[in-house]
Amino acid sequence: MADRYSGYYEHSLDPKGRITIPSKFREQLGKTIAMMRGRNNCICLYSLSEWNAVYEKFEKIEESDGEAYDQMRKLLATSVDDNEMDRQGRLLIPTTMRQYAGLEKDVVVSGAGRHVEVWNRDAFFRFIEET
């Protein structure tokens, strides 16, 4: 069965750049989490099983597709990182991803169907209002 995530939680980024993953999401995500830059300047978190399913879709793009193939290869090579959650349920967000998403202190961790998203708190609520 595919992962399904819903709800949102407000948290703070600690001085080391870690967030606490809500207990509701921890078991499904597993210890090792694939992180990818998402749309709207958020970070997408995937369980490894879900990430493998997403990656398989990317792999179906044929090298002969030229530009689409090059774009996907570059996207995967530059925007995905794996990290492990510690025993307290904290996940280190790499500096480049924190900068991309504008994560400084106040963050929102939200369910987004097949993955979890990490947002700058203000950007999350602005996105919700606009949507």
Side-chain angles (χ1 to χ4, degrees):
M1 185 168 110
D3 298 332
R4 295 287 181 258
Y5 303 96
S6 61
Y8 76 91
Y9 304 86
E10 295 184 45
H11 287 277
S12 294
L13 199 62
D14 76 10
K16 293 182 180 180
R18 299 175 298 193
I19 58 166
T20 299
I21 300 297
S23 57
K24 178 180 178 180
F25 299 152
R26 287 181 199 166
E27 188 174 327
Q28 275 186 281
L29 282 170
K31 185 175 170 107
T32 303
I33 297 171
M35 289 182 259
M36 180 176 185
R37 290 185 308 220
R39 292 186 193 147
N40 302 306
N41 293 79
C42 70
I43 298 168
C44 299
L45 307 179
Y46 294 89
S47 67
L48 288 184
S49 62
E50 190 64 35
W51 173 247
N52 287 332
V54 169
Y55 189 80
E56 284 177 17
K57 290 178 185 176
F58 287 137
E59 280 187 322
K60 290 180 181 175
I61 296 173
E62 298 292 330
E63 193 168 350
S64 61
D65 287 341
E67 189 174 338
Y69 175 81
D70 288 343
Q71 289 174 345
M72 285 297 110
R73 188 172 44 107
K74 288 176 187 168
L75 175 68
L76 292 176
T78 62
S79 68
V80 178
D81 196 5
D82 291 347
N83 244 327
E84 289 193 6
M85 208 176 340
D86 68 14
R87 290 183 188 153
Q88 288 79 37
R90 296 175 301 196
L91 180 69
L92 176 66
I93 306 294
T95 303
T96 56
M97 290 209 182
R98 289 196 311 264
Q99 290 170 342
Y100 169 77
L103 304 180
E104 294 173 1
K105 183 168 174 45
D106 297 324
V107 300
V108 169
V109 181
S110 69
R114 295 173 64 176
H115 65 275
V116 171
E117 295 178 342
V118 180
W119 290 76
N120 167 293
R121 183 189 179 284
D122 293 339
F124 175 79
F125 287 110
R126 199 168 36 252
F127 176 79
I128 295 299
E129 281 182 30
E130 292 170 1
T131 305

